[in-house]
Amino acid sequence: MTTWRPQPSPFRSVLAVLPLICLALALWLWSLLSARVTAIGFDTGAFLLGLAFFLAMLLVGMFLYMAWCAFTIAYTLDRNRLSIRCGGVRHVVPLANVAAVYPPYQAVNNRPATVRWKGATGFVPGYVVGEGESRQLGRVVSVATVPVAGQVFVVTPGVTFGVSPQNAAGFVDQIKKRQEAAEDAGEDAVRTELRGPSTWAAALWADRPARVLLVLALVLNVAFFGYLSLVYQNLPFHLPLHWNSQAQIDRIGDPSELLRLPVFGLLVWLVNAIIGWWALPRERAVTLFLLAGAVAAQVAFAAGAVSIVLRT
């Protein structure tokens, strides 16, 4: 078994610094938010600071994950297969399925290889990890640290893998030699294995209806907080919160009680997402029902808050 590390990239170290920068930004925003809430209470500024803090922490998590993936890229060759690892994702390619191997800068069908990436693949220098389409190679999955021209392409019937091992010539030579000596290990197709953090939400995020409902509920909750931040300062100190069947006020409270509604909505979203994640491999319909319920909860809580505000 032989393992190749990817070609070094000076830009890859940036991924280790970005989480620290975003964390410092989040801490600064938190200090501003705490000071504003203590001095003023809840208003538009507090909402915007809270939203910025949330986005900064989201960037911290995203960049930490990307850094972990970037610094764990490795390519392993054994007698019968090529394993391509990146973070918690491992692509296993039986050598019997390899139809062709193209070294860096080699033309494919008499033309330089080009790939149209999906999403932001290749946007971060030194981290070319993602999926795309190529006229010459078909579906391409790249796990590399260099641009397309410098990648080794390993072609299989369903997918082409782009990799960037050190000593690319030796890597290509080893694949060809091991193909000749490969034994039938009973593996018919390329497969992808998930481990560690990559397995936690992969199934839920890969399900498009579930993903749409999950994001929609969260967006509605953020919009709910934003609406209250706009009207909060104009609410009376003694706010009517409930009316009986005769349209008479039977409960008066503080405006801050309205803030409980989006908080309850956020808790509903979180609980339903966790239960939906657990239920997805067992019964997908339950997951979709729970996530749709999270969307409905945001609408119901927001409608209640709007009716209270409009009646004041």
Side-chain angles (χ1 to χ4, degrees):
M1 180 182 295
T2 307
T3 298
W4 276 265
R5 300 299 301 172
Q7 293 186 35
S9 168
F11 298 102
R12 201 165 46 141
S13 58
V14 173
L15 288 172
V17 177
L18 285 177
L20 298 177
I21 295 174
C22 292
L23 182 59
L25 174 63
L27 293 174
W28 176 66
L29 290 169
W30 179 257
S31 67
L32 294 179
L33 177 61
S34 301
R36 188 174 187 90
V37 170
T38 302
I40 300 174
F42 186 76
D43 65 351
T44 306
F47 166 73
L48 293 176
L49 284 172
L51 181 60
F53 171 77
F54 170 78
L55 293 176
M57 291 303 297
L58 191 65
L59 287 175
V60 170
M62 183 183 72
F63 285 130
L64 277 175
Y65 180 77
M66 289 177 64
W68 174 55
C69 290
F71 285 94
T72 54
I73 292 176
Y75 317 110
T76 302
L77 268 173
D78 61 19
R79 182 177 299 177
N80 300 305
R81 65 188 65 82
L82 165 66
S83 297
I84 303 169
R85 184 191 171 192
C86 178
V89 180
R90 188 172 73 135
H91 304 286
V92 180
V93 183
L95 294 180
N97 276 19
V98 176
V101 182
Y102 294 97
Y105 306 103
Q106 178 174 321
V108 181
N109 296 331
N110 299 319
R111 296 167 55 190
T114 57
V115 180
R116 178 177 294 178
W117 299 113
K118 297 180 180 178
T121 303
F123 180 76
V124 180
Y127 185 77
V128 188
V129 177
E131 185 175 334
E133 289 291 333
S134 170
R135 290 184 178 180
Q136 301 101 318
L137 301 166
R139 176 172 169 251
V140 176
V141 173
S142 182
V143 182
T145 57
V146 298
V148 171
Q151 295 181 24
V152 174
F153 288 107
V154 180
V155 182
T156 72
V159 59
T160 296
F161 290 96
V163 297
S164 59
Q166 297 182 22
N167 186 14
F171 177 80
V172 172
D173 185 58
Q174 282 294 314
I175 287 183
K176 293 180 178 179
K177 287 181 178 179
R178 298 195 185 206
Q179 270 188 292
E180 296 173 358
E183 299 176 357
D184 185 3
E187 295 181 289
D188 297 326
V190 175
R191 69 179 188 274
T192 299
E193 301 174 349
L194 299 178
R195 299 179 180 180
S198 297
T199 65
W200 295 347
L204 188 62
W205 193 253
D207 189 302
R208 185 172 182 179
R211 182 172 69 248
V212 170
L213 291 172
L214 190 70
V215 173
L216 177 60
L218 186 58
V219 169
L220 289 174
N221 186 264
V222 171
F224 189 7
F225 271 110
Y227 169 74
L228 289 182
S229 73
L230 292 174
V231 302
Y232 190 81
Q233 289 180 314
N234 297 323
L235 295 176
F237 183 75
H238 298 290
L239 180 67
L241 295 175
H242 194 267
W243 290 258
N244 59 25
S245 57
Q246 284 77 41
Q248 298 172 334
I249 299 172
D250 59 7
R251 186 186 172 196
I252 295 177
D254 188 271
S256 61
E257 293 190 42
L258 273 185
L259 297 179
R260 297 177 183 176
L261 295 177
V263 172
F264 289 155
L266 186 61
L267 290 175
V268 169
W269 175 84
L270 180 61
V271 171
N272 283 22
I274 292 173
I275 298 175
W277 166 78
W278 173 84
L280 184 60
R282 297 164 177 81
E283 182 54 66
R284 179 172 179 264
V286 172
T287 298
L288 297 180
F289 177 79
L290 287 168
L291 296 180
V295 173
Q298 312 309 317
V299 174
F301 287 139
V306 170
S307 75
I308 291 173
V309 171
L310 293 179
R311 289 189 180 189
T312 56

